[in-house]
Amino acid sequence: MMSFFARAGLLLALALTMPTAVAAQGTRVFDAPDGSYTFSYPLNFALDHEFADGTGDVTGVTASSPTNGDVIVTFLGPRDAGDFKEVSETTRPDITDAFTKAVARLASTTLKSSSMTTMLGRPAVDMIFQNARMPFSKERPQIKRYVFTIASGKAYNFECIYRADKAEQFAPACDLAVSTVRLRDGAAKAKPAAANDGGGAAPPAAGSCTREELNKRSMQVTDITSNMLMKDQSPAMIERLKKAHDAMRAVDERASAAPSAQDCKDIDAIIATLK
């Protein structure tokens, strides 16, 4: 998906959704402190903490500096989806209106674009707002970008902040995070008790495939293809990795919230083709 800003340098557009600049410099995986999700981010970003002095909870990733200005990528959720039951082209105007009312409370902040994309294997709305700051301010206009979706009845969204004149440099980090974010099964789920061991956790059934297991396999595909892309950016390699990601996404969308053993086997088969 090409957003409001031109994405020059997208090597695998609509496939890896990873700009060459990001691929060339490498990526890391962000693990949520509570273990609920992961996403990839560029190596030139650092962990963002709750407080400006670098203390407090880790809330996302950042490349903020006096030169860059504020550059922040944060994933939010799960939370109550309110009146929204799904995300689609039909509900996009209402979702955009709700975000506009919440984000653009001042005349200096305006909606620049709203379009459909994909996140967590589901339709998502990609909204870009521009904050012109105060009149005569020396600060450059700022972009506040929100990518919103609903998964298993809960709302999730990325918030990406960067200067408008640095969109080409930092918008790809938002694209990367959106395309690689994965939810993990909640640790709070009760484990089934074993039949005769006094209440210990029973082992998973043979051939079982949980959402967590499928997510781990999908992250393997992402990591492998990212490393391969850094070493070889030939058209043949790009086409090979595009096919792998297309196949992985097809499995992820088919599996939804209740993957089968075959889903995990299919991702394993994709991994095997990349080795």
Side-chain angles (χ1 to χ4, degrees):
M1 190 282 302
M2 299 295 284
S3 75
F4 176 75
F5 296 98
R7 299 286 195 264
L10 280 177
L11 210 63
L12 299 179
L14 302 180
L16 295 181
T17 59
M18 185 183 298
T20 53
V22 172
Q25 70 186 23
T27 64
R28 292 190 181 98
V29 175
F30 177 88
D31 286 293
D34 63 0
S36 61
Y37 64 88
T38 65
F39 65 83
S40 297
Y41 65 97
L43 287 176
N44 63 334
F45 277 62
L47 295 180
D48 189 28
H49 291 263
E50 184 178 5
F51 303 113
D53 63 356
T55 62
D57 295 337
V58 175
T59 57
V61 296
T62 180
S64 299
S65 72
T67 300
N68 295 336
D70 290 334
V71 184
I72 302 169
V73 177
T74 307
F75 188 60
L76 304 169
R79 64 181 187 278
D80 183 23
D83 295 333
F84 299 113
K85 305 303 179 186
E86 64 171 5
V87 177
S88 66
E89 182 59 47
T90 301
T91 60
R92 180 175 65 86
D94 290 337
I95 292 170
T96 302
D97 183 61
F99 269 82
T100 300
K101 289 177 179 177
V103 176
R105 295 178 178 177
L106 300 177
S108 58
T109 302
T110 56
L111 174 69
K112 306 301 292 184
S113 68
S114 170
S115 57
M116 295 300 296
T117 186
T118 301
M119 186 169 76
L120 297 174
R122 295 162 175 80
V125 181
D126 187 351
M127 297 158 283
I128 295 179
F129 296 85
Q130 180 169 300
N131 180 8
R133 304 297 180 96
M134 297 296 292
F136 310 112
S137 171
K138 294 182 180 180
E139 294 185 63
R140 306 291 180 88
Q142 183 185 69
I143 294 298
K144 288 191 174 183
R145 180 177 173 190
Y146 299 87
V147 183
F148 171 87
T149 195
I150 295 175
S152 301
K154 296 295 183 180
Y156 298 87
N157 73 268
F158 267 104
E159 179 182 51
C160 302
I161 298 174
Y162 43 86
R163 266 177 29 191
D165 63 327
K166 291 183 175 289
E168 185 175 340
Q169 180 179 355
F170 292 115
C174 191
D175 294 332
L176 175 64
V178 169
S179 67
T180 58
V181 65
R182 298 288 185 272
L183 299 181
R184 290 177 170 171
D185 284 349
K189 286 185 177 180
K191 296 181 179 180
N196 298 305
D197 65 355
S208 65
C209 179
T210 64
R211 185 71 238 183
E212 181 179 8
E213 287 298 321
L214 192 66
N215 286 345
K216 287 180 180 178
R217 285 165 166 79
S218 296
M219 286 304 299
Q220 276 187 273
V221 174
T222 300
D223 291 343
I224 292 171
T225 54
S226 176
N227 290 333
M228 293 173 71
L229 185 62
M230 283 189 283
K231 296 176 182 178
D232 184 355
Q233 298 182 3
S234 66
M237 177 59 72
I238 292 172
E239 181 61 25
R240 180 185 177 190
L241 302 186
K242 179 180 183 299
K243 290 180 179 179
H245 272 254
D246 284 344
M248 179 186 72
R249 288 176 179 170
V251 173
D252 191 66
E253 290 176 5
R254 179 187 72 199
S256 188
S260 66
Q262 186 62 48
D263 294 323
C264 279
K265 290 180 180 178
D266 288 347
I267 298 294
D268 286 338
I270 295 171
I271 293 172
T273 65
L274 296 171
K275 294 182 176 180

